[in-house]
Amino acid sequence: MSTDIVLEYDINHVLIQALKVGVARKAQTITNGGLAMSLWLLIQDLDPGLGAKVTISRKLSLAELLFGESFGSALVIIGEKELMEFQRICMLHGIPSSTIGRLQIKQEISVNNILIIPEKILKTLPE
C-alpha cells in the first residue's frame, strides 16, 4: 500500500474514533474547493451566528493555502476540554495534529487575515 493510502486510512480511523467517543463535534476533510470551502462546510450547520478564524503558518502560496485540495488533511471541531484526548487519539494512530483556529461569535470566515468572507457573503452560499 502506498503511504498516502495508509495516511488516509489512519486519518479516517482517528476521525471515526473521535466522533464516536464524543471528543470531536464535527469533522470535514479538505477536498474540493480547498481550505476555504472546507471551513464553510464545517461550520454551516452550527449556530448561525458562528464563524471561524484560522491562522496557518505554512510555506504555501496564497492560492495553495486557500484553495489547494490536500488529501490527508481534515478540519475538526473540538472543545477545549477535549483537545488533549483528541491529541492522544491522533498519537495512537501516528497522525500529527495542530490547533489552527477557533470558532468565533461573528459570522465570518477568516484565514490568516488575508481571506475574510463576511456574513453577508456566507448567507448567500448554498447549504
Side-chain angles (χ1 to χ4, degrees):
M1 250 194 284
S2 77
T3 305
D4 290 344
I5 293 171
V6 172
L7 179 64
E8 289 287 327
Y9 180 83
D10 290 342
I11 288 171
N12 285 328
H13 271 79
V14 165
L15 297 177
I16 289 166
Q17 185 176 354
L19 290 165
K20 185 177 179 180
V21 299
V23 169
R25 182 171 171 190
K26 190 171 180 189
Q28 173 68 46
T29 57
I30 298 178
T31 57
N32 297 339
L35 177 62
M37 189 63 181
S38 298
L39 278 168
W40 168 243
L41 293 171
L42 184 69
I43 68 168
Q44 73 177 352
D45 296 331
L46 300 175
D47 182 323
L50 292 178
K53 182 173 177 107
V54 172
T55 304
I56 299 177
S57 53
R58 290 196 170 182
K59 294 180 181 182
L60 298 172
S61 71
L62 184 58
E64 289 173 322
L65 173 65
L66 298 176
F67 305 108
E69 297 169 5
S70 173
F71 296 101
S73 296
L75 301 168
V76 183
I77 295 177
I78 303 166
E80 288 186 31
K81 293 177 183 175
E82 292 78 25
L83 181 58
M84 288 187 67
E85 178 61 17
F86 180 75
Q87 289 173 334
R88 186 189 70 74
I89 293 169
C90 288
M91 286 190 303
L92 285 173
H93 293 278
I95 299 298
S97 67
S98 60
T99 302
I100 62 167
R102 291 185 174 270
L103 293 176
Q104 61 182 2
I105 304 175
K106 182 177 185 183
Q107 191 181 16
E108 74 176 21
I109 292 175
S110 169
V111 179
N112 288 7
N113 290 322
I114 297 169
L115 172 71
I116 299 174
I117 306 171
E119 178 179 7
K120 66 181 182 179
I121 301 296
L122 291 176
K123 287 184 176 184
T124 66
L125 297 175
E127 294 187 23

